[in-house]
Amino acid sequence: MANETSYAALLAAGGAVARILSTRLHQNLYDPTSIRRLFSFVPFVGGASATQNITKVTRGYVASAATNETTGGGSRQVLSTGNYDLTVARYYAKMAPTDLLHIVGGPLDVDYLLGVLTETLDLTLTDMLTDAFQNIAGSVGTSGVNLTTDDWYDAIFYLNLQNNPRELAAVLHNQQVNDLVESVRGETGASVHRPDTQAILEAKGVGYVGTWAGVDIYQSDSVELDGGSANRVGAMFSEGVIAYQLAPVSRMLDGMMINAADILAATEEMFVERDRDADNGVSDMLVNFYPAVAEQEDLRGVRIVTDA
Amino acid sequence: MPETRRLRNPTAYRPQQAKEEACLPASMANYPFRYVHYPHGWEWTLEHGFLPTLCSLVHRPGVNGVGTNGTGRNAKIVPDKAHAAATRNGGRIVEPNDPRLGEYRDYLTFFPTENGGRHFCFMASEATVLSNGMLRMHDCSAEWDAFRAHVRDSGIIEPMEEVVYNDLMELERGRLDRITRRVHDGRAQVGADKAQRERMDAMQKAWAAYAEKHSGRVVTPEPVSESASPEAGKRVRARKPTADEEAAVNG
């Protein structure tokens, strides 16, 4: 046979192309975990300062017996207080699609880029919160040794000794979660037939991975290494160990500091603005937000430092 | 009056080939930090004895009061409030330029990352980025432990208190109880508790030497491994030296 109109011939001479762009997008693996709901949110006040000072007060006083029925009086008890600061700082992320990108089209359009930019707020907060873990004074775990259920209970006991409430949570690195699950596998006795033990042995993923021994467990790859790069520094804590804040950017938008037409997206906590570079045919998309994170009460948390 | 100029020996033109500098992925970019020691932060290691557990006070704007001064590329990080808060909470900050650090001075180092960032890390850190993009940080725990031993001995941080030692021994006693139960239940090899008892013995001996060196107190260790007594392994209380012992120490 001869004179076929073949794909190969058209490819060479014209009429067919080697490949076309599919509209389907595959998202590579990444950790989108947001852990901010585990921590205390402090509303921003403003008042001519980027720093907000929060008072801490200690209660739990008891009365003293009177020394005499009619005389002697009593000593005054001083109310014990402390304080800490939340200082907001500007954070931004920028992407710059060119005019040509808009013209040729494709699945990676402005909306997709907007989604990438707006999720930076939660991811940045997660990084800031795990950075704050590293300054918690108390720690459990043995350097260079995998996380075990013994370390888990050491952390629970440590927090209990500090009078922490019953509701506890932990944020661990992926490796620490794996090690904990491995240790739970080896448990016998009182732990083995509990529903939470059965549940924790199921496959895990990012974010919330389960509850064991009454502690909610979250996994995040933002959990840092220690100085020797041999251990991960996770944490177990009750609510109130760390506080965070997001300054309301709406004040700036209401103040008409930016042309409304240049605001691509806005919420109370962040906004995305456009900055046009006409000379170079580029439009910068810039997300802005003003977060703050601070350790509120150290004894509400304990670092879990175990083999990476 | 302009003069005729003759130029010779032109420079060979070579298109600039950007040498690919070894960098970490952009996602590894982080912020500078300082190590901080809090009074209760101690742990036991076989090689170096009692070592301080060091926290990292990250100089990240917005975290623990760290601020910035200036704008754009000239912005400087201002960590004063974070340092003050750490000190108020009993922490001792280990400054990288402290001369008492000796060979570990300037422990804060960095690797460049893609997109012009920096990954700040301890001075002995190493990293390998495979050709498929996988990143592995090398274990430098030996150098890290040696650094912490130096910090302990340099006088930068406060010595360990007896109450901290007692808390550590309480944890070890709990571990011994758990291991002993597992041996009896058949969930651990016979003799598994021996290693834990030897560890506790080593801790007691190390504490006896440490207490004598730092406070002059004489502490008599009670070996855990040799005794089957229920009192074995319980917290050791230092006693005040007798007059003869004081005279011997003070000469």
Coordinates of all heavy atoms in Angstrom, one line a residue, chain A residues 27-104:
Chain A
Q27 N -1.2 17.8 40.9 CA -0.5 18.5 41.9 C 0.5 17.6 42.6 O 0.1 16.6 43.2 CB -1.6 18.9 42.9 CG -1.2 19.9 44.0 CD -2.4 20.5 44.7 OE1 -2.9 21.5 44.2 NE2 -2.7 20.0 45.8
N28 N 1.7 18.0 42.6 CA 2.8 17.3 43.3 C 2.5 17.3 44.8 O 1.8 18.2 45.4 CB 4.1 17.8 43.0 CG 4.6 17.5 41.6 OD1 4.2 16.5 41.0 ND2 5.5 18.3 41.1
L29 N 3.2 16.3 45.5 CA 3.0 16.2 46.9 C 3.5 17.4 47.7 O 4.6 17.9 47.4 CB 3.7 15.0 47.5 CG 3.0 13.6 47.1 CD1 4.0 12.5 47.4 CD2 1.7 13.4 47.8
Y30 N 2.8 17.9 48.6 CA 3.3 18.9 49.6 C 2.4 18.9 50.8 O 1.3 18.2 50.8 CB 3.3 20.3 49.0 CG 1.9 21.0 48.9 CD1 1.7 22.1 49.7 CD2 0.9 20.6 48.0 CE1 0.4 22.8 49.7 CE2 -0.3 21.2 48.0 CZ -0.5 22.3 48.8 OH -1.7 23.0 48.8
D31 N 2.8 19.5 51.9 CA 2.1 19.4 53.1 C 1.3 20.7 53.3 O 1.9 21.7 53.6 CB 3.1 19.2 54.3 CG 2.3 19.0 55.6 OD1 1.1 19.2 55.7 OD2 3.0 18.7 56.6
P32 N 0.0 20.7 53.2 CA -0.8 21.9 53.3 C -1.4 22.1 54.7 O -2.2 22.9 54.9 CB -2.0 21.6 52.3 CG -2.2 20.1 52.4 CD -0.8 19.5 52.7
T33 N -0.8 21.4 55.7 CA -1.4 21.4 57.0 C -1.4 22.8 57.6 O -0.4 23.5 57.6 CB -0.6 20.4 57.9 OG1 -0.6 19.2 57.4 CG2 -1.2 20.4 59.3
S34 N -2.5 23.2 58.2 CA -2.6 24.4 59.0 C -2.9 23.9 60.4 O -3.8 23.2 60.7 CB -3.7 25.3 58.5 OG -4.0 26.3 59.4
I35 N -2.1 24.4 61.3 CA -2.3 24.0 62.7 C -2.7 25.2 63.6 O -2.7 25.1 64.8 CB -0.9 23.4 63.3 CG1 0.2 24.4 63.2 CG2 -0.6 22.1 62.6 CD1 1.5 24.0 63.9
R36 N -3.1 26.3 63.0 CA -3.4 27.5 63.8 C -4.5 27.3 64.7 O -4.6 28.0 65.8 CB -3.5 28.7 63.0 CG -4.6 28.7 61.9 CD -4.9 30.1 61.6 NE -5.4 30.3 60.2 CZ -6.0 31.5 59.9 NH1 -6.1 32.5 60.7 NH2 -6.5 31.6 58.6
R37 N -5.5 26.5 64.4 CA -6.7 26.3 65.3 C -6.3 25.7 66.6 O -7.1 25.6 67.5 CB -7.8 25.6 64.6 CG -7.4 24.1 64.2 CD -8.6 23.5 63.5 NE -8.2 22.2 63.0 CZ -7.5 22.0 61.9 NH1 -7.1 23.0 61.2 NH2 -7.1 20.8 61.5
L38 N -5.1 25.1 66.7 CA -4.7 24.5 68.0 C -4.2 25.6 69.0 O -4.0 25.2 70.2 CB -3.6 23.5 67.8 CG -3.9 22.4 66.8 CD1 -2.6 21.5 66.6 CD2 -5.0 21.5 67.3
F39 N -4.0 26.8 68.6 CA -3.4 27.8 69.4 C -4.4 29.0 69.6 O -5.4 29.1 69.0 CB -2.1 28.3 68.8 CG -1.2 27.2 68.5 CD1 -1.1 26.5 67.3 CD2 -0.3 26.7 69.6 CE1 -0.2 25.5 67.1 CE2 0.5 25.6 69.4 CZ 0.6 25.0 68.1
S40 N -4.0 29.8 70.6 CA -4.9 30.9 71.0 C -4.8 32.0 70.0 O -3.7 32.5 69.7 CB -4.5 31.4 72.4 OG -4.6 30.4 73.4
F41 N -6.0 32.5 69.6 CA -6.0 33.7 68.7 C -6.3 34.9 69.5 O -7.2 34.9 70.3 CB -7.1 33.5 67.6 CG -7.2 34.7 66.7 CD1 -6.3 35.0 65.8 CD2 -8.3 35.5 66.9 CE1 -6.4 36.1 65.0 CE2 -8.5 36.7 66.0 CZ -7.5 36.9 65.1
V42 N -5.5 35.9 69.4 CA -5.6 37.2 70.1 C -6.0 38.2 69.1 O -5.3 38.5 68.2 CB -4.3 37.6 70.8 CG1 -4.4 38.9 71.4 CG2 -3.9 36.5 71.8
P43 N -7.2 38.8 69.2 CA -7.6 39.9 68.3 C -6.6 41.1 68.3 O -6.1 41.4 69.4 CB -9.0 40.3 68.7 CG -9.5 39.1 69.6 CD -8.2 38.5 70.2
F44 N -6.4 41.7 67.2 CA -5.5 42.8 67.1 C -6.2 44.1 67.5 O -7.4 44.3 67.1 CB -5.0 42.9 65.6 CG -4.0 44.0 65.4 CD1 -2.7 43.8 65.7 CD2 -4.4 45.2 64.9 CE1 -1.7 44.8 65.5 CE2 -3.4 46.2 64.7 CZ -2.1 46.0 65.0
V45 N -5.5 44.9 68.2 CA -6.2 46.1 68.8 C -5.7 47.4 68.0 O -6.4 48.3 67.7 CB -5.9 46.3 70.3 CG1 -6.3 47.6 70.8 CG2 -6.6 45.2 71.0
G46 N -4.4 47.4 67.7 CA -3.9 48.6 67.0 C -3.5 49.6 68.0 O -2.8 49.3 68.9
G47 N -4.0 50.8 68.0 CA -3.7 51.8 69.0 C -2.3 52.4 68.8 O -1.6 52.6 69.8
A48 N -1.9 52.6 67.6 CA -0.6 53.3 67.3 C 0.6 52.4 67.7 O 1.7 53.0 68.0 CB -0.5 54.6 68.0
S49 N 0.4 51.1 67.7 CA 1.6 50.2 68.0 C 1.4 48.9 67.2 O 0.3 48.4 67.1 CB 1.7 50.0 69.5 OG 2.9 49.1 69.7
A50 N 2.6 48.4 66.7 CA 2.6 47.1 66.1 C 2.7 46.0 67.2 O 2.6 44.8 66.8 CB 3.7 47.0 65.1
T51 N 2.9 46.4 68.4 CA 3.1 45.4 69.5 C 2.0 45.5 70.4 O 1.6 46.6 70.9 CB 4.4 45.7 70.2 OG1 5.5 45.6 69.3 CG2 4.6 44.8 71.4
Q52 N 1.4 44.4 70.8 CA 0.3 44.3 71.7 C 0.9 43.6 72.9 O 1.4 42.5 72.8 CB -0.9 43.6 71.1 CG -2.1 43.7 72.0 CD -3.3 43.3 71.2 OE1 -3.4 43.4 70.0 NE2 -4.3 42.7 71.9
N53 N 0.7 44.1 74.1 CA 1.2 43.5 75.3 C 0.0 42.9 76.0 O -1.0 43.5 76.3 CB 1.8 44.6 76.3 CG 2.4 44.0 77.5 OD1 1.8 43.9 78.6 ND2 3.6 43.4 77.4
I54 N 0.1 41.6 76.3 CA -1.0 40.8 77.0 C -0.5 40.5 78.4 O 0.6 40.0 78.6 CB -1.3 39.5 76.2 CG1 -1.8 39.9 74.8 CG2 -2.3 38.7 76.9 CD1 -0.9 40.0 73.7
T55 N -1.4 40.7 79.3 CA -1.2 40.4 80.7 C -1.5 39.0 81.1 O -2.5 38.4 80.6 CB -2.0 41.3 81.6 OG1 -1.7 42.7 81.3 CG2 -1.7 41.1 83.1
K56 N -0.6 38.4 81.9 CA -0.9 37.0 82.4 C -1.1 37.1 83.9 O -0.3 37.8 84.5 CB 0.3 36.1 82.1 CG 0.7 36.0 80.6 CD 1.6 34.9 80.3 CE 3.0 35.1 80.9 NZ 3.9 34.1 80.4
V57 N -2.0 36.4 84.4 CA -2.3 36.5 85.8 C -2.3 35.1 86.4 O -2.8 34.1 85.8 CB -3.6 37.2 86.1 CG1 -4.8 36.5 85.5 CG2 -3.8 37.5 87.6
T58 N -1.8 35.0 87.6 CA -1.7 33.7 88.3 C -2.8 33.7 89.4 O -2.8 34.6 90.3 CB -0.3 33.5 88.9 OG1 0.6 33.5 87.9 CG2 -0.3 32.1 89.6
R59 N -3.6 32.7 89.4 CA -4.6 32.5 90.4 C -4.3 31.4 91.3 O -3.2 30.8 91.3 CB -6.0 32.3 89.8 CG -6.5 33.5 89.0 CD -7.8 33.2 88.3 NE -8.8 32.8 89.3 CZ -10.1 32.9 89.1 NH1 -10.5 33.5 88.0 NH2 -10.9 32.5 90.0
G60 N -5.2 30.9 92.2 CA -5.0 29.8 93.0 C -4.5 30.2 94.4 O -3.8 29.4 95.0
Y61 N -5.0 31.3 94.9 CA -4.6 31.7 96.2 C -5.5 31.1 97.3 O -6.7 30.8 97.0 CB -4.7 33.2 96.4 CG -3.7 33.9 95.5 CD1 -4.0 34.3 94.2 CD2 -2.4 34.2 96.0 CE1 -3.1 34.9 93.4 CE2 -1.5 34.9 95.2 CZ -1.8 35.2 93.9 OH -0.9 35.8 93.1
V62 N -5.0 30.9 98.5 CA -5.8 30.3 99.6 C -5.8 31.3 100.7 O -4.9 32.2 100.8 CB -5.3 29.0 100.0 CG1 -5.4 27.9 98.9 CG2 -3.9 29.0 100.5
A63 N -6.8 31.3 101.5 CA -6.9 32.2 102.7 C -6.0 31.7 103.8 O -5.7 30.5 103.9 CB -8.4 32.3 103.1
S64 N -5.7 32.6 104.7 CA -4.9 32.3 105.9 C -5.8 32.4 107.1 O -6.7 33.1 107.2 CB -3.7 33.3 106.0 OG -3.0 33.3 104.9
A65 N -5.5 31.5 108.1 CA -6.2 31.6 109.3 C -5.9 32.9 110.1 O -4.7 33.3 110.1 CB -5.9 30.4 110.2
A66 N -6.9 33.4 110.7 CA -6.7 34.6 111.6 C -5.9 34.2 112.8 O -6.1 33.2 113.4 CB -8.0 35.2 112.0
T67 N -4.9 35.0 113.2 CA -4.0 34.6 114.3 C -4.7 34.9 115.7 O -4.3 34.4 116.7 CB -2.7 35.4 114.2 OG1 -3.0 36.8 114.2 CG2 -1.9 35.0 113.0
N68 N -5.6 35.8 115.6 CA -6.3 36.2 116.9 C -7.7 36.6 116.6 O -8.0 37.1 115.5 CB -5.4 37.3 117.5 CG -5.9 37.7 118.9 OD1 -7.0 38.3 119.1 ND2 -5.2 37.3 119.9
E69 N -8.5 36.4 117.6 CA -9.9 36.7 117.4 C -10.2 38.2 117.1 O -11.0 38.6 116.4 CB -10.7 36.3 118.6 CG -12.3 36.5 118.4 CD -13.0 36.0 119.7 OE1 -12.4 35.5 120.6 OE2 -14.2 36.2 119.7
T70 N -9.4 39.1 117.8 CA -9.7 40.5 117.7 C -8.5 41.3 117.2 O -8.7 42.5 116.9 CB -10.1 41.0 119.1 OG1 -9.0 40.7 120.0 CG2 -11.4 40.4 119.5
T71 N -7.3 40.8 117.3 CA -6.1 41.6 116.9 C -5.3 40.9 115.9 O -5.6 39.7 115.6 CB -5.3 42.0 118.1 OG1 -4.8 40.8 118.7 CG2 -6.1 42.8 119.1
G72 N -4.2 41.5 115.5 CA -3.2 40.8 114.6 C -3.4 41.2 113.1 O -2.4 41.3 112.4
G73 N -4.6 41.4 112.7 CA -4.8 41.8 111.3 C -4.4 40.6 110.3 O -4.4 39.5 110.7
G74 N -4.1 41.0 109.1 CA -3.7 39.9 108.1 C -2.7 40.5 107.1 O -2.7 41.7 106.9
S75 N -1.9 39.6 106.5 CA -1.0 40.1 105.5 C -1.7 40.2 104.2 O -2.6 39.4 103.9 CB 0.2 39.1 105.4 OG 0.8 39.0 106.6
R76 N -1.3 41.2 103.4 CA -1.8 41.3 102.1 C -1.2 40.3 101.1 O 0.0 40.0 101.2 CB -1.6 42.7 101.5 CG -2.3 43.8 102.4 CD -2.1 45.1 101.7 NE -2.8 46.1 102.5 CZ -2.2 46.9 103.4 NH1 -0.9 46.8 103.5 NH2 -2.9 47.8 104.1
Q77 N -2.0 39.8 100.2 CA -1.4 38.9 99.2 C -1.3 39.7 97.9 O -2.3 40.3 97.5 CB -2.3 37.7 99.0 CG -2.5 36.8 100.2 CD -2.9 35.4 99.9 OE1 -2.3 34.8 99.0 NE2 -3.9 34.9 100.6
V78 N -0.1 39.6 97.3 CA 0.1 40.4 96.0 C -0.4 39.5 94.9 O 0.0 38.3 94.8 CB 1.6 40.7 95.9 CG1 1.8 41.4 94.6 CG2 2.0 41.5 97.1
L79 N -1.2 40.1 94.0 CA -1.6 39.4 92.8 C -0.4 39.2 91.9 O 0.2 40.2 91.5 CB -2.8 40.1 92.1 CG -3.4 39.4 90.9 CD1 -4.1 38.1 91.4 CD2 -4.4 40.3 90.2
S80 N -0.1 38.0 91.5 CA 1.1 37.8 90.7 C 0.7 37.9 89.2 O -0.2 37.2 88.7 CB 1.6 36.4 91.0 OG 2.7 36.1 90.1
T81 N 1.4 38.7 88.5 CA 1.1 38.9 87.0 C 2.4 38.8 86.2 O 3.5 38.9 86.8 CB 0.4 40.2 86.7 OG1 1.3 41.3 87.1 CG2 -0.9 40.4 87.5
G82 N 2.2 38.6 84.9 CA 3.3 38.6 84.0 C 2.8 39.2 82.7 O 1.6 39.7 82.6
N83 N 3.6 39.2 81.7 CA 3.1 39.7 80.4 C 4.0 39.2 79.3 O 5.1 38.6 79.5 CB 3.1 41.2 80.4 CG 4.5 41.8 80.4 OD1 5.1 42.0 79.4 ND2 5.0 42.1 81.6
Y84 N 3.4 39.3 78.1 CA 4.2 38.9 76.9 C 3.8 39.8 75.8 O 2.7 40.4 75.8 CB 4.1 37.4 76.5 CG 2.7 37.1 76.0 CD1 2.5 37.0 74.6 CD2 1.7 36.7 76.9 CE1 1.2 36.7 74.1 CE2 0.4 36.4 76.4 CZ 0.2 36.4 75.0 OH -1.0 36.0 74.5
D85 N 4.6 39.9 74.7 CA 4.3 40.8 73.6 C 4.0 40.0 72.3 O 4.6 38.9 72.0 CB 5.5 41.7 73.2 CG 5.7 42.8 74.3 OD1 4.7 43.2 74.9 OD2 6.8 43.2 74.4
L86 N 3.0 40.5 71.6 CA 2.8 40.0 70.2 C 3.1 41.2 69.3 O 2.5 42.2 69.3 CB 1.3 39.6 70.0 CG 0.9 38.2 70.4 CD1 -0.6 38.1 70.5 CD2 1.5 37.2 69.5
T87 N 4.1 41.0 68.4 CA 4.6 42.0 67.5 C 4.3 41.6 66.1 O 5.0 40.6 65.6 CB 6.1 42.3 67.7 OG1 6.3 42.7 69.0 CG2 6.5 43.5 66.8
V88 N 3.4 42.2 65.4 CA 3.2 41.8 64.0 C 4.3 42.3 63.1 O 5.0 43.2 63.3 CB 1.8 42.4 63.5 CG1 0.7 41.8 64.2 CG2 1.8 43.9 63.5
A89 N 4.5 41.5 62.0 CA 5.5 41.8 61.0 C 4.9 41.5 59.7 O 4.0 40.6 59.5 CB 6.8 40.9 61.2
R90 N 5.3 42.3 58.7 CA 4.8 42.1 57.3 C 5.4 40.9 56.7 O 6.6 40.7 56.6 CB 5.0 43.4 56.5 CG 4.5 43.2 55.1 CD 4.8 44.5 54.2 NE 4.3 44.2 52.9 CZ 5.1 44.3 51.8 NH1 6.4 44.6 51.9 NH2 4.6 44.1 50.6
Y91 N 4.5 40.1 56.1 CA 4.9 39.0 55.3 C 4.3 39.1 53.9 O 3.1 39.6 53.8 CB 4.5 37.6 55.9 CG 5.5 37.2 57.0 CD1 5.5 37.7 58.2 CD2 6.4 36.1 56.7 CE1 6.4 37.3 59.2 CE2 7.3 35.7 57.7 CZ 7.2 36.3 58.9 OH 8.1 35.9 59.9
Y92 N 5.0 38.7 52.9 CA 4.5 38.8 51.5 C 5.0 37.7 50.7 O 6.0 37.1 51.0 CB 4.8 40.2 50.9 CG 6.3 40.3 50.5 CD1 6.7 39.9 49.3 CD2 7.2 40.7 51.5 CE1 8.1 40.0 49.0 CE2 8.5 40.8 51.2 CZ 9.0 40.5 49.9 OH 10.3 40.5 49.6
A93 N 4.2 37.4 49.6 CA 4.7 36.4 48.6 C 4.2 37.0 47.3 O 3.2 37.7 47.2 CB 4.1 35.1 48.8
K94 N 5.1 36.8 46.2 CA 4.8 37.5 45.0 C 5.0 36.5 43.8 O 5.9 35.7 43.8 CB 5.8 38.6 44.9 CG 5.6 39.6 43.7 CD 6.3 40.9 43.9 CE 7.8 40.8 43.8 NZ 8.4 42.2 43.8
M95 N 4.1 36.6 42.9 CA 4.2 35.9 41.6 C 4.0 36.9 40.5 O 3.2 37.9 40.7 CB 3.2 34.7 41.5 CG 3.6 33.6 42.4 SD 2.7 32.1 42.1 CE 3.7 31.0 43.0
A96 N 4.6 36.7 39.3 CA 4.5 37.7 38.3 C 4.2 37.0 36.9 O 5.1 36.7 36.1 CB 5.8 38.5 38.2
P97 N 2.9 36.8 36.7 CA 2.6 36.2 35.3 C 2.8 37.3 34.3 O 2.4 38.5 34.5 CB 1.1 35.8 35.5 CG 0.6 36.7 36.6 CD 1.7 36.9 37.5
T98 N 3.3 36.9 33.1 CA 3.5 37.9 32.1 C 2.3 38.0 31.2 O 1.4 37.1 31.3 CB 4.7 37.4 31.2 OG1 4.3 36.2 30.6 CG2 6.0 37.2 32.0
D99 N 2.3 39.0 30.4 CA 1.1 39.2 29.5 C 1.0 38.1 28.5 O -0.1 37.6 28.2 CB 1.3 40.5 28.7 CG 1.3 41.8 29.6 OD1 0.9 41.6 30.8 OD2 1.6 42.9 29.1
L100 N 2.1 37.5 28.1 CA 2.1 36.4 27.1 C 1.5 35.2 27.7 O 0.8 34.5 27.0 CB 3.5 36.1 26.6 CG 3.7 35.1 25.5 CD1 2.9 35.7 24.2 CD2 5.1 34.9 25.1
L101 N 1.7 35.0 29.0 CA 1.1 33.9 29.7 C -0.5 34.0 29.6 O -1.2 33.0 29.3 CB 1.5 33.8 31.1 CG 0.9 32.6 31.9 CD1 1.4 31.3 31.4 CD2 1.2 32.8 33.4
H102 N -1.0 35.2 29.8 CA -2.4 35.4 29.7 C -2.9 35.1 28.3 O -4.0 34.6 28.1 CB -2.8 36.8 30.2 CG -2.6 37.0 31.6 ND1 -3.2 36.3 32.6 CD2 -1.8 37.9 32.3 CE1 -2.8 36.8 33.8 NE2 -2.0 37.8 33.6
I103 N -2.1 35.6 27.3 CA -2.6 35.6 25.9 C -2.6 34.1 25.5 O -3.6 33.7 24.8 CB -1.6 36.4 25.1 CG1 -1.8 37.9 25.4 CG2 -1.9 36.1 23.6 CD1 -0.7 38.7 24.8
V104 N -1.6 33.3 25.8 CA -1.6 31.9 25.3 C -2.6 31.0 26.0 O -3.0 30.0 25.5 CB -0.2 31.3 25.3 CG1 0.8 32.2 24.5 CG2 0.3 31.1 26.7

